[in-house]
Amino acid sequence: MSAMPTTRAALAIALAMTGASHALINPRFTPIHLAEQSRQILVLKLAPPDGQGRVAAEVVRAVKGEAGSKRLVLDLASAAKKEQAAAIKEAIARLGEGPALLFVGQDEEKEDAAFLHLSGRWLRLDAGKAAGAWELRALDTGMEGTWAGGTDMLLGAVEYILKNPDEATVPVAVGFKWATRAKGGQIEGQVSEFQAVDIAGDGRLALFIASDKGDRILLFDPKSRVAADITAVRRLASKSHAAAWGDVDGDGRLDLLSWDGQALRLWVQAKDGAFAGAPQQIPVGLRGACRGISLLDVGTKGRPGILVSGEGGPILLRPDAQGGFRQEALAAPAEGFASAAACLVADLDGDVQCDILLPDASGSLFFKGEGPGRFAKPVPCPVALGKGRSGAFVGDFDHDGRLDVWAFAEDRCRLWRNRVGLSFEEVMSISGETAYYAMPGALCGLTCDINNDGRQDTFMAYPDRPPLIFFNRGFRSFGKALELTREDVIPETTEGQQAGTVADLNGDGAQDMAIVLKSGALWVFWREVFEGEPALALRAALPLGGESAGPLTVTGWIETRCLGAWNVQAGSAEALFGRTQAGEVTLRWQFPGVKEQKRAIAVEHKALRFLLESAK
């Protein structure tokens, strides 16, 4: 590799950029440079080190160049620092059956050299005297600036780069700034959550703010970006500790389910858009505090079921023939299991049926969906939230078509990768800059695509610091969006927030950030969109009053590259597949009991919205 940096050079670049021990993203030497400058890229399977510190490596296949010898030998005893050899032995043990990746080229002195990546670590190797022998020079922390993530993810990134040499990108920065910001008013009471909802059913998103002193609905003018408070016009008088939106009565209009601390109430939207009259109280035998409310399809056409999360386990409310609901307590958790967070409702095992995950500090219970509204007895699941106040949301951060779980708690954040067979693996430490920048204590979070590049990003709000946004470099390696979240960029937020969200609030295709500070001040940060270069994206939504209320998993594709899966619900959660340049996005989705559907849609001049329908 003519430009492969030495250990000293790579580390110097990283330290110059960060002023700290953590290696930030190195824009001068990305996986694209690494793939281009390597004459060989080999997938290896490593055996445990022998008594002399030698590691036998089987060449599984060549990703670039010829495989050459089927066997290589790595000499760990050659390391100048013996503690590094010990750390590498531990990394090999953690690797198990997973791959190691060897990049072979030349250093600045035209000598054969190599980088080996395994278990999230970079090793610098020199060619040994014997053929196929490599000697360990040192662990190379500077190369984390090139790639900080799992080896399997790096393999996926390299294959993507080699297959798309002219178009492949591995972003080094989020690439956008806030164009403007504005104070949107003062919110009274304790704010529990934000939601961007399609309140009129026309695709235009309104901002719903749940507060115990009175909920608010704000609609922003597309040109002036000025907020219009339409709460009074819509005659909504709810006061929510927890809330959910959906077409509850099956009339094709969005309704509000609100837990006000005492009861679950249904605010029905009338034909004129008003929530007139007294709300309907829905009996629910909730034990303890309400952790959250979700809507899900239960097989009753036009009317979803309601899942209420509480300390005593989830309660499912099924629609009855009289227009009400009958209560069904799902299997109660074991003694000592008292979840502090709402259930996650999504197809987590990929069988097209909606599942329920009841999370707790040290583990979860998984209710496998066996049909619309039907669930098997719960089984233990390793997904853990952590200690204290906590929560979780889903997203497909490695873009493999399976929904992962991002958990936040007072001790730390966790990222649970969804592997085949619903085998979850905690991978936050090998997911880029989130390993040290995803701070503990978040209040809420969500999946987004803040820069419209088709890679799923994350947002989190905090009670004592500015919010955090992490952009995805692809294949689950995140970078901190410094241009959007530095204290000098958003000084208004340093007092902390009560809640926040990211959504396209003015319909220009770019997602904006809205937060309520601890003081109750509402601020909106509008993302930059260049004149003549619109933000390109394809939104995929379930229609109100359609075949299913969801949730439904939707994936997007650019040719053979998966843009990931989104969890879609009618009226309240859409999929967003961004594009950096004009071209097609192919959607794939499947309703239970119906064959998979596929639609290629050209995204050329602006963001588009597509309604998902059943093949029936």
Side-chain angles (χ1 to χ4, degrees), residues 17-359:
M17 292 173 62
T18 68
S21 59
H22 296 306
L24 294 185
I25 295 169
N26 180 0
R28 307 174 203 172
F29 198 72
T30 71
I32 293 177
H33 300 99
L34 184 63
E36 287 176 345
Q37 296 172 22
S38 299
R39 71 168 184 264
Q40 275 182 306
I41 303 176
L42 306 177
V43 179
L44 305 181
K45 181 178 180 181
L46 304 183
D50 63 16
Q52 286 74 46
R54 292 174 300 193
V55 177
E58 175 190 348
V59 178
V60 177
R61 63 185 175 95
V63 180
K64 181 180 181 181
E66 298 297 327
S69 174
K70 295 294 184 182
R71 300 281 177 181
L72 304 176
V73 176
L74 313 178
D75 184 4
L76 304 184
S78 60
K81 296 181 179 180
K82 301 306 177 185
E83 63 270 19
Q84 290 196 354
I88 294 166
K89 290 179 182 179
E90 292 179 7
I92 293 174
R94 289 197 305 271
L95 191 64
E97 295 297 316
L101 205 54
L102 185 70
F103 298 85
V104 180
Q106 289 185 331
D107 61 17
E108 292 85 345
E109 286 76 37
K110 305 298 182 181
E111 299 289 337
D112 282 350
F115 283 123
L116 180 69
H117 193 270
L118 73 156
S119 298
R121 291 178 177 267
W122 285 98
L123 283 61
R124 179 64 187 266
L125 306 174
D126 293 327
K129 295 180 181 179
W134 292 95
E135 296 179 351
L136 172 65
R137 181 187 297 184
L139 283 170
D140 196 327
T141 56
M143 281 296 290
E144 292 176 17
T146 295
W147 180 264
T151 305
D152 55 345
M153 296 289 100
L154 177 58
L155 174 58
V158 168
E159 290 177 326
Y160 155 64
I161 291 165
L162 294 176
K163 289 178 182 177
N164 304 273
D166 298 326
E167 298 179 3
T169 59
V170 183
V172 298
V174 69
F176 289 93
K177 299 177 181 179
W178 302 124
T180 59
R181 78 277 312 277
K183 188 175 180 181
Q186 190 73 21
I187 308 300
E188 300 298 327
Q190 180 62 45
V191 175
S192 57
E193 58 186 283
F194 270 19
Q195 293 183 38
V197 296
D198 180 14
I199 194 166
D202 59 1
R204 186 180 176 189
L205 297 180
L207 182 62
F208 171 74
I209 306 171
S211 171
D212 62 357
K213 296 295 184 182
D215 299 338
R216 303 274 291 277
I217 305 175
L218 304 180
L219 197 60
F220 293 87
D221 182 87
K223 294 183 178 180
S224 69
R225 298 172 175 169
V226 174
D229 190 331
I230 62 173
T231 314
V233 173
R234 295 293 184 126
R235 299 171 66 182
L236 183 65
S238 57
K239 300 178 180 181
S240 300
H241 294 247
W245 287 83
D247 181 12
V248 180
D249 61 355
D251 63 358
R253 292 183 291 272
L254 205 60
D255 309 311
L256 172 65
L257 283 161
S258 169
W259 175 262
D260 62 8
Q262 301 296 324
L264 179 64
R265 305 184 193 278
L266 171 61
W267 297 80
V268 175
Q269 183 177 177
K271 288 183 179 180
D272 61 359
F275 298 85
Q280 174 187 345
Q281 182 171 331
I282 301 176
V284 53
L286 190 64
R287 192 179 75 189
C290 176
R291 304 301 190 193
I293 308 168
S294 301
L295 295 176
L296 67 161
D297 192 271
V298 293
T300 303
K301 183 174 176 54
R303 295 188 62 200
I306 305 168
L307 187 75
V308 182
S309 302
E311 295 176 11
I315 296 173
L316 181 60
L317 302 173
R318 297 180 182 274
D320 61 26
Q322 290 72 43
F325 296 85
R326 66 179 187 275
Q327 180 174 302
E328 176 185 328
L330 300 183
E335 189 70 26
F337 192 105
S339 178
C343 289
L344 297 177
V345 181
D347 176 16
L348 292 170
D349 58 4
D351 65 355
V352 194
Q353 301 294 342
C354 175
D355 309 306
I356 297 172
L357 188 73
L358 173 61

